[in-house]
Amino acid sequence: MTLAQYCSQFQKIRRANGTAFSDLTLKKAPHKPLLLLAVLDMVGRKQITSPFISIADEMTELNALFGSFWHKLMPVTHTSSIGFPFSKMGNEPFWHLVPLPDKTVTKELIDKMSTVSQLRQHVMGAQLDEALFVLMQDAQSRETLIDTLIGTHFSPEAQALLRAEMGEQDTIFQYSLELEQQAQHKVRDSSSVAKYTVQVRDQGFRKAVVRCYDHRCAMCGTRIVTPEGYTAVDAAHIEPWSVSQNDQITNGMALCKLCHWAFDTGVVGVRTDFSIAVARQIGHMPNAPGFIPTLAGRTLILPKEVHLRPKPENFEWHRKTFSVA
């Protein structure tokens, strides 16, 4: 198969009509082309490195990209699971769902599946045509495939929105890599921060920290990643950005919502040996602090790589401000 033939197949992707879909998507479902744009982005970043797309390994980032494109075009009240287009793409000639052992994928089954949980009961992932994957890896061919998808399935206004979002998502990814590289070299280089928007900086920091902590809360150990790839943790600055302008991974921790709030308000703190201290007053009536008191004396759950762990001196501002540790 040639590039021109795959472009032709991309143009002929079957999309449902519906009143829920606006002029931006030419009044048709945008799920499939948006999923393919996310896949093309991840191939370009070398996050997808083979024709096989695993629904276990690649789903978190794939869902994040799909969601960012989706929300640029669709009302906030209109949501979609990435499982829907991932399964329905099985009806396209270049996208082959790979069944689990002893399972069979039929057209009837594809029509029934719409969530990642349902997918995982039957398939391991999707296999792209080898020839298509080779073309996706080539920058010029990849751009032609992107042009075909965007130019065929979206209005001029939507094309501009998607182009801008793809550029921003790529910048976020590059910033997260930059933070990891700076941590690896154990140097702080803040000279490049000014060139990034607040949104890019926030999302890049979050992406890098959550990845380094493998989606686990450094205090309570909670680790929840939904089938669609949503995570339960935030990326928390140890010394606030407003004070330090420091996005280094060593100035961050992955924390669940409650632990993040508890740290930011001084309900909990961290000692120089990375053990957790809890403010005594949280037990005063009528508080019901749940598991928070049980954190006292625990040691932070940190990344295995030493260079990604918090620098002890980054906790000094927190200790001086809240006097809890």
Side-chain angles (χ1 to χ4, degrees), residues 79-114:
T79 60
S80 175
S81 167
I82 194 174
F84 183 81
F86 200 101
S87 58
K88 301 302 178 280
M89 286 289 290
N91 290 322
E92 302 298 335
F94 51 83
W95 185 280
H96 314 283
L97 294 175
V98 180
L100 289 165
D102 303 323
K103 298 284 186 179
T104 302
V105 176
T106 64
K107 185 178 185 309
E108 290 72 23
L109 180 63
I110 291 173
D111 290 341
K112 289 180 181 177
M113 293 189 292
S114 61

Side-chain angles (χ1 to χ4, degrees), residues 1-12 93-94 132 135 145:
M1 293 278 285
T2 65
L3 176 61
Q5 288 170 314
Y6 280 116
C7 286
S8 177
Q9 291 190 350
F10 277 20
Q11 290 172 324
K12 296 174 183 174
F94 51 83
L132 174 59
L135 292 167
L145 292 166

Side-chain angles (χ1 to χ4, degrees), residues 26-227:
L26 309 181
K27 298 189 182 302
K28 291 186 177 182
H31 306 70
K32 289 180 179 177
L34 294 184
L35 174 58
L36 282 172
L37 288 174
V39 169
L40 284 158
D41 251 11
M42 288 186 65
V43 172
R45 299 175 187 176
K46 303 188 188 313
Q47 290 178 295
I48 292 178
T49 57
S50 83
F52 177 69
I53 303 170
S54 167
I55 60 172
D57 298 334
E58 277 104 12
M59 197 55 76
T60 299
E61 184 62 22
L62 196 59
N63 185 57
L65 278 173
F66 173 79
S68 74
F69 300 155
W70 176 272
H71 292 302
K72 282 295 171 185
L73 305 182
M74 302 299 294
V76 293
T77 54
H78 195 148
T79 60
S80 175
S81 167
I82 194 174
F84 183 81
F86 200 101
S87 58
K88 301 302 178 280
M89 286 289 290
N91 290 322
E92 302 298 335
F94 51 83
W95 185 280
H96 314 283
L97 294 175
V98 180
L100 289 165
D102 303 323
K103 298 284 186 179
T104 302
V105 176
T106 64
K107 185 178 185 309
E108 290 72 23
L109 180 63
I110 291 173
D111 290 341
K112 289 180 181 177
M113 293 189 292
S114 61
T115 68
V116 176
S117 295
Q118 292 169 337
L119 270 173
R120 286 180 173 170
Q121 294 175 19
H122 300 280
V123 307
M124 295 187 289
Q127 182 80 20
L128 298 170
D129 281 1
E130 288 277 351
L132 174 59
F133 183 69
V134 170
L135 292 167
M136 285 180 164
Q137 290 178 294
D138 176 73
Q140 190 170 353
S141 299
R142 185 169 60 251
E143 193 58 35
T144 301
L145 292 166
I146 291 172
D147 286 344
T148 300
L149 283 170
I150 291 182
T152 302
H153 300 290
F154 301 101
S155 72
E157 181 183 355
Q159 292 174 29
L161 290 170
L162 286 172
R163 288 285 185 190
E165 184 62 20
M166 291 178 77
E168 180 158 285
Q169 289 298 322
D170 186 58
T171 306
I172 290 169
F173 175 71
Q174 296 302 330
Y175 184 53
S176 72
L177 289 185
E178 187 178 310
L179 293 177
E180 290 186 29
Q181 290 164 356
Q182 289 178 12
Q184 192 168 11
H185 293 112
K186 301 179 181 179
V187 295
R188 180 181 175 185
D189 178 10
S190 60
S191 60
S192 62
V193 170
K195 69 183 180 184
Y196 296 110
T197 64
V198 172
Q199 183 174 350
V200 166
R201 196 183 51 69
D202 284 349
Q203 292 192 29
F205 176 73
R206 181 182 188 281
K207 191 182 290 288
V209 171
V210 170
R211 185 164 54 221
C212 292
Y213 282 77
D214 189 28
H215 302 269
R216 187 178 301 282
C217 176
M219 289 192 170
C220 70
T222 295
R223 185 186 188 281
I224 300 174
V225 182
T226 69

Side-chain angles (χ1 to χ4, degrees), residues 229-263:
Y230 296 110
T231 181
V233 296
D234 299 331
H237 284 89
I238 296 170
E239 187 174 9
W241 166 263
S242 59
V243 176
S244 64
Q245 289 79 55
N246 182 359
D247 268 347
Q248 293 292 297
I249 293 172
T250 53
N251 187 41
M253 293 186 291
L255 296 176
C256 72
K257 304 293 185 190
L258 182 55
C259 289
H260 191 172
W261 173 85
F263 183 74

